[in-house]
Amino acid sequence: MNLDFDRQHIWHPYTSTLEPLPCYPVIGASGVEIELESGEQLTDGMSSWWSAIHGYNHPRLNAAAHQQIERMSHVMFGGLTHEPAISLCESLLSLTPCNLKHVFLADSGSVSVEVALKMALQYWHAKGENRSQFLTLKQGYHGDTFAAMSVTDPDNSMHKIYKGFLPKHLFAKSPSIGFNQDWNEQDSDDFRHQLAQYHSHIAAVILEPIVQGAGGMRIYHPTYLKRVRELCDQYGVLLIIDEIATGFGRTGKMFACEHAGISPDIMCVGKALTGGYMTLAATLTTSEVANTVCSGEAGCFMHGPTFMGNPLACAVASESLAILQNNQWQLQTKNIETWFSEVLPSLEHFETVKETRWLGAIGVVELHHKVNMQVIQQHFVEQGVWIRPFGKLIYMMPPFISQKHHITKLVNAIASALEKPQQTLER
Ligand SMILES: *Cc1c(COP(=O)(O)O)cnc(C)c1O
């Protein structure tokens, strides 16, 4: 592979053209293993950013893609429809909370968030109310496009650089009480106060349910989410739940909002939707929201991507949901959670470790110091695992098919990195 070309001309996520860190060339992936050009096999701890829940190169997903590509890869979705989209949306509606009745297919997670925010704005516009604010949580993450950035944590992100270009929204204190800790009503005070004060300007609340992902891998108490739903009802504000990372079993429930027994007015899904095969996302909403949006001045919802409802992506997603529906995800995520609970606490004896936490198939090691990305990445590859930390967080969300020895291998690799903090951590 021409890695010099890659380094000189190709942008990777959040990287510099001046000092590009090395990328590892991959030639294949199968099950939970990623194969490097050098011949090394890496046990995957990332599911390629939450998405490859069934593992790589899955025979059923391959077959779905092959069958669909023989019929058609794509046709426009304006005025045309097809079986892959219909069967996918049927499955989606049967899995998600039952108040959700309408599906908008989008190209990526960030786009599904844009779509959700636009739905909320058009909803209030149709009702003749001028509401342009969103209330969200600090430490949240909703994507990299403009509207998604504007509701992503203001300190932890691009807000400084894009100041003046991003609309200013409201940020409540992020939940501080962990999933298994004792609930304390004060945790939702700031959220309650902001909603009480500004509700007449707020179109919707948007947040990640139970797990705040890219903004800090924080796992919070379900009662917080329950309070959010109650307060949104009390003040007549829409609730958008971003299940892009948490959806499709990752937290041990099909959707994380089930931990709190609540349902949103608008829900975003993405990442694992196609089992990690290709990009596809969706925004789901209630008949109330959809019909109000369409009763407004525009007479329709004003959005329609070129590749909306791509049949190839829909066919694979549909098969991925079929695998979920008839396989073992509950048992698998429960097992992974148990294995994390058996081994992660032992890492807390390293003085560099601030806390370990886990839920479902998510395991997190939070450090006091930032990792030295290049050194720790190379260390993990030498240990035969693929884990990609950011900042002070080393975290894992392995494919659901991972066995106990895979989890042990991942955690041992982290332990061995923590044994030489001089090299692997920054000071
Ligand atoms: C990844 C993510 C997004 C953005 O999805 P993309 O497909 O990367 O655009 C939005 N919200 C959450 C919670 C995410 O984890």
Side-chain angles (χ1 to χ4, degrees), residues 2 15 26 28 35 41 55 69 85 104 130 176 200 241 267-268 276 279 288 307 309 341 345 349 360 385 403 426:
N2 190 343
T15 50
V26 176
E35 187 183 351
Q41 297 276 349
I69 211 165
F104 188 99
N130 182 15
S176 64
S200 59
I241 297 261
M267 181 191 246
C268 299
T279 179
E288 220 272 299
F307 284 97
S341 75
H349 77 257
V385 301
Q403 300 295 312
E426 283 180 8

Side-chain angles (χ1 to χ4, degrees), residues 50-108:
W50 313 83
S51 64
I53 52 177
H54 310 300
Y56 300 90
N57 207 359
H58 194 286
R60 284 181 60 182
L61 298 181
N62 288 0
H66 282 298
Q67 281 164 23
Q68 186 55 42
I69 211 165
E70 295 294 332
R71 293 194 193 104
M72 62 179 167
S73 292
H74 185 65
V75 287
M76 63 188 281
F77 213 46
L80 299 174
T81 194
H82 44 76
E83 185 57 32
I86 294 172
S87 71
L88 170 61
C89 293
E90 275 178 347
S91 300
L92 270 178
L93 289 181
S94 76
L95 291 174
T96 49
C98 57
N99 62 324
L100 302 173
K101 299 281 189 229
H102 301 268
V103 186
F104 188 99
L105 295 167
D107 324 33
S108 71

Side-chain angles (χ1 to χ4, degrees), residues 117 132-136 147 150-151 159 167-171:
L117 299 174
S132 57
Q133 289 277 283
F134 293 100
L135 173 60
T136 184
S150 75
V151 288
H159 280 244
K168 280 186 100 173
H169 295 305
L170 301 162
F171 289 84

Side-chain angles (χ1 to χ4, degrees), residues 94-246:
S94 76
L95 291 174
T96 49
C98 57
N99 62 324
L100 302 173
K101 299 281 189 229
H102 301 268
V103 186
F104 188 99
L105 295 167
D107 324 33
S108 71
S110 299
V111 172
S112 78
V113 169
E114 302 279 325
V115 163
L117 299 174
K118 282 175 72 175
M119 277 180 186
L121 292 176
Q122 265 196 260
Y123 173 86
W124 291 108
H125 188 262
K127 281 179 164 289
E129 283 194 46
N130 182 15
R131 297 198 189 198
S132 57
Q133 289 277 283
F134 293 100
L135 173 60
T136 184
L137 302 181
K138 289 190 178 158
Q139 312 253 15
Y141 176 79
H142 297 286
D144 288 356
T145 52
F146 270 79
M149 264 200 291
S150 75
V151 288
T152 287
D153 186 279
D155 302 319
N156 206 340
S157 67
M158 295 75 83
H159 280 244
K160 251 199 222 118
I161 303 168
Y162 288 95
K163 206 174 165 192
F165 296 95
L166 291 180
K168 280 186 100 173
H169 295 305
L170 301 162
F171 289 84
K173 248 192 218 150
S174 53
S176 64
I177 297 180
F179 189 87
N180 287 315
Q181 290 176 314
D182 290 334
W183 172 246
N184 179 340
E185 215 52 65
Q186 286 168 359
D187 212 32
S188 52
D189 277 356
D190 189 50
F191 181 89
R192 178 181 300 105
H193 291 151
Q194 296 216 34
L195 200 59
Q197 193 170 355
Y198 302 114
H199 63 92
S200 59
H201 305 286
I202 298 175
V205 166
I206 177 167
L207 48 69
E208 296 155 279
I210 306 299
V211 181
Q212 293 189 289
M217 297 302 295
R218 297 158 58 91
I219 305 173
Y220 65 85
H221 201 286
T223 305
Y224 190 99
L225 192 53
K226 242 173 109 170
R227 292 291 179 265
V228 166
R229 176 72 273 183
E230 289 161 6
L231 290 162
C232 286
D233 287 341
Q234 183 185 334
Y235 288 105
V237 166
L238 296 173
L239 176 58
I240 302 169
I241 297 261
D242 178 348
E243 291 263 10
I244 292 167
T246 49

